[in-house]
Amino acid sequence: MWPRTLTRDIAIITAILNFTECAIQDLDDLPPDQILQEINPSDDKYFKYDMLNEIPESPEEFAIGAENPDMDQGENPIRMFHINLFHLDRYPVSIIKFKEFLQSKKKYRPTAIRKGFSYVVKGFEKKTGDEQFEAHPNETTYVKVASASWRLPEGKGSSIRDTILNPVTHVSYDDANAYCLWKKKRLPTEVEWEYAARGAKKGLKYPWGQGWVEGRANVWEGRFTNQKKAQKDGYIGLAPVDAFPPQNDLGVYDMLGNAWEWTSTVYREKGRPMKDLSLRYTLRGASFIDSRIGGANHSARITARKAAARDFTAQNVGFRCALSDDEAQKMSIKRLPEHTEL
């Protein structure tokens, strides 16, 4: 037998080597919770992602929707609304900010984690073996992926190591609402969302104007074919919430493209009374798989909208929060720095 002192020394050296190996272990090999423990959401460099922008009151009734009878998602006809001054998150809620919420609300379990699955865009699911992915019953765009969630965006084996500033997705209406309430905010109404996306300007097709401009939004080039492919902007899927410049003169980012966003408005389908419909909420903004020309998916334009059940979660569905002006005054929020002019 080895001397006891030598056995002890070997044990110490082994422990040191094990510790060193753990210390240099690549983050991709760590469980999701450990990955996020490496990051402090309260770090000053993430402060700007909490900023609100002031959205001015409409001087008169404002036109919402589009005058196009071919649009069958409820965009037609135009409706008139008066919009009071309110505040809207400058950016969609990012992964790092959602993590901050979960650190504070340790007992909260997001919907996708409770259900044990979420929907991933077909062609983006992480394949680690011979898995059989079940299609979404109503949308060919999605496949049902076990364990997919905000922290495993493409399912088991995927990583958020380099995507903490992407919009958080795989969040339900209830998750989004819980986050906004925690921030003492709320989800925007559909009317508020569209008014802000238009930059408080009438008749625009896109947040920046009437014509399409390359490099202003994360959308698909051409028609989406359920296959990953390189895009000119460098992003195959989701992009960081500040990857593109602000989309209009109000200084808001990512209103169009990247991820659909929950609103607080119950979806009303043209030609069908509410009593005949299950309760669904309105999503706005289109996503990275939608394109300017539409076709296979939605056409990326300000008025694009679709419905989802409150417990629906998917890889391309996120949210941002809003705040009424009277609530902002109660909170005595500080004036934010002037936004970048276009």
Side-chain angles (χ1 to χ4, degrees):
M1 294 181 64
W2 291 346
R4 182 176 299 176
T5 53
L6 179 59
T7 303
R8 182 194 63 195
D9 291 342
I10 290 173
I12 292 172
I13 292 170
T14 301
I16 292 171
L17 289 173
N18 287 339
F19 175 81
T20 304
E21 182 180 359
C22 289
I24 63 174
Q25 187 178 26
D26 191 279
L27 286 177
D28 280 333
D29 297 326
L30 297 175
D33 282 340
Q34 276 186 263
I35 293 174
L36 291 170
Q37 284 171 8
E38 305 290 324
I39 302 159
N40 177 15
S42 299
D43 193 304
D44 286 347
K45 66 184 177 182
Y46 301 123
F47 170 75
K48 75 171 189 174
Y49 299 103
D50 271 330
M51 284 184 170
L52 288 154
N53 280 24
E54 184 177 286
I55 311 300
E57 181 178 4
S58 60
E60 56 188 6
E61 287 201 327
F62 193 85
I64 298 294
E67 197 62 70
N68 187 338
D70 295 330
M71 295 177 178
D72 59 358
Q73 300 295 318
E75 299 167 67
N76 176 72
I78 286 176
R79 290 142 292 165
M80 304 302 292
F81 295 90
H82 178 84
I83 297 96
N84 292 321
L85 185 151
F86 69 102
H87 302 259
L88 187 70
D89 282 350
R90 183 175 294 184
Y91 306 95
V93 175
S94 59
I95 289 174
I96 189 66
K97 287 293 155 184
F98 195 72
K99 170 60 179 175
E100 186 176 26
F101 161 63
L102 294 179
Q103 282 181 330
S104 175
K105 297 289 186 181
K106 297 186 185 300
K107 292 184 179 181
Y108 187 84
R109 296 185 68 218
T111 301
I113 291 177
R114 284 190 286 104
K115 292 169 67 173
F117 73 89
S118 187
Y119 289 101
V120 174
V121 173
K122 189 176 181 181
F124 282 75
E125 65 274 23
K126 190 78 172 179
K127 295 177 180 177
T128 57
D130 298 323
E131 302 97 333
Q132 295 296 314
F133 296 102
E134 181 183 335
H136 188 282
N138 301 316
E139 292 196 45
T140 57
T141 303
Y142 299 117
V143 289
K144 183 178 177 179
V145 177
S147 78
S149 70
W150 71 276
R151 61 187 188 183
L152 296 173
E154 296 175 3
K156 186 178 179 181
S158 59
S159 172
I160 54 171
R161 177 189 177 186
D162 299 317
T163 60
I164 59 171
L165 293 180
N166 282 8
V168 65
T169 58
H170 294 290
V171 286
S172 67
Y173 172 89
D174 292 327
D175 296 333
N177 200 42
Y179 175 95
C180 291
L181 288 174
W182 171 70
K183 282 287 190 181
K184 295 182 172 57
K185 303 178 191 176
R186 57 173 174 79
L187 285 171
T189 67
E190 181 179 14
V191 169
E192 287 174 331
W193 189 98
E194 184 171 324
Y195 179 69
R198 290 182 184 275
K201 295 178 180 178
K202 296 180 180 179
L204 300 184
K205 185 174 182 179
Y206 306 110
W208 51 83
Q210 284 295 85
W212 183 260
V213 179
E214 296 292 341
R216 297 303 302 271
N218 182 24
V219 297
W220 202 259
E221 295 160 13
R223 294 193 176 190
F224 183 67
T225 57
N226 295 120
Q227 293 179 336
K228 282 186 176 181
K229 74 173 185 179
Q231 303 287 289
K232 291 178 184 176
D233 59 24
Y235 299 102
I236 296 176
L238 291 163
V241 296
D242 58 355
F244 298 83
Q247 290 185 333
N248 61 33
D249 290 340
L250 295 182
V252 286
Y253 289 69
D254 255 11
M255 298 297 285
L256 186 68
N258 221 10
W260 289 95
E261 297 182 8
W262 288 104
T263 72
S264 64
T265 301
V266 173
Y267 186 84
R268 287 170 171 77
E269 193 169 332
K270 191 168 85 173
R272 294 184 65 187
M274 284 299 296
K275 66 179 181 179
D276 294 340
L277 302 174
S278 57
L279 186 63
R280 296 182 297 168
Y281 288 87
T282 307
L283 296 170
R284 297 300 303 263
S287 76
F288 70 88
I289 60 168
D290 300 306
S291 66
R292 178 169 57 92
I293 61 175
N297 288 310
H298 286 76
S299 176
R301 56 180 180 255
I302 284 176
T303 55
R305 66 198 296 267
K306 70 178 200 173
R310 66 186 303 150
D311 65 346
F312 177 71
T313 59
Q315 182 192 5
N316 62 339
V317 175
F319 70 102
R320 75 180 73 213
C321 304
L323 188 65
S324 302
D325 190 52
D326 56 345
E327 292 300 318
Q329 298 302 324
K330 290 177 186 176
M331 292 171 63
S332 299
I333 65 170
K334 296 179 180 179
R335 287 279 174 187
L336 299 175
E338 289 297 317
H339 58 260
T340 304
E341 294 294 338
L342 302 183

